[in-house]
Amino acid sequence: MAFLRTEPPTVNFATGAPGKPVHLTVQTVGAIGFGPHPDWVSYLVQSPAGKWVHSTLWDLPANTMIDVTLYEYDGGSPLRNPEIGRVYGVTGNEETINGKKVSLIDATQGNGVGHTFSVPTLGINVPLYAVNGNAKNFCNASPCGLSEAHNTITFSFRTPKATGQYAFQCFVPCGLGWLYGNGGPMQTIGYMDGFLKVVSS
Ligand SMILES: [Cu+2]
């Protein structure tokens, strides 16, 4: 039960002027490096004050453009289902990866896909191109910094008008060492699962 009580803090991005786009900066890492599960893959989010926070609970204003910058620091693999290599539900159905527009990642090529940012109820899927797991400057403990191997991924989406909690998750079985890779961090809020908590703006 202690495990269930340790919900991460909600980070509030809904304090700006109504209608003004919100900038959200997140990172995905191969190992969080601290806490009860230091070797688990995870998301972190940068608070409006600029501090990296280990949380996947984000208050976002309703009906607002969210401009996401995501630093991907983890290695990857081919996908079991190539469909999740497709970008959809975000502006233009594309992301930029290191400045290049991409609408589909063929995960059999290059470093493969590390994680996805997927919000099933909003029809959003953004595959996150991985870094080379053998890179000399591979990040082994978060928060990772820009001098460490990463891909800079950007995309934008509009939050719905309806307030509520919209679950997001990763669809890459990245829970290394768990049954089919789907346990542990893949099912734990704060790591590879979270909520967009859409509140009135
Ligand atoms: Cu993942």
Side-chain angles (χ1 to χ4, degrees), residues 41 114-116 170 172 174 186 192:
V41 291
H115 305 280
T116 69
C170 167
V172 174
C174 59
M186 286 296 281
M192 279 287 136

Side-chain angles (χ1 to χ4, degrees), residues 87-88 90-96 101-103 126 154-156:
V87 184
Y88 51 86
V90 296
T91 303
N93 291 323
E94 58 191 14
E95 61 186 305
T96 70
K101 287 184 176 180
V102 171
S103 57
V126 182
T154 65
F155 57 91
S156 299

Side-chain angles (χ1 to χ4, degrees), residues 11-79:
V11 184
N12 188 358
F13 296 96
T15 58
K20 203 169 162 250
V22 167
H23 200 100
L24 187 67
T25 305
V26 296
Q27 62 175 262
T28 48
V29 300
I32 188 71
F34 56 84
H37 310 290
D39 58 342
W40 280 16
V41 291
S42 193
Y43 271 91
L44 292 91
V45 65
Q46 201 166 41
S47 74
K51 188 174 179 288
W52 285 109
V53 181
H54 182 209
S55 176
T56 52
L57 301 176
W58 311 331
D59 272 348
L60 300 175
N63 194 24
T64 300
M65 283 306 295
I66 311 296
D67 297 323
V68 180
T69 300
L70 190 153
Y71 300 112
E72 207 296 310
Y73 288 96
D74 199 7
S77 61
L79 296 169

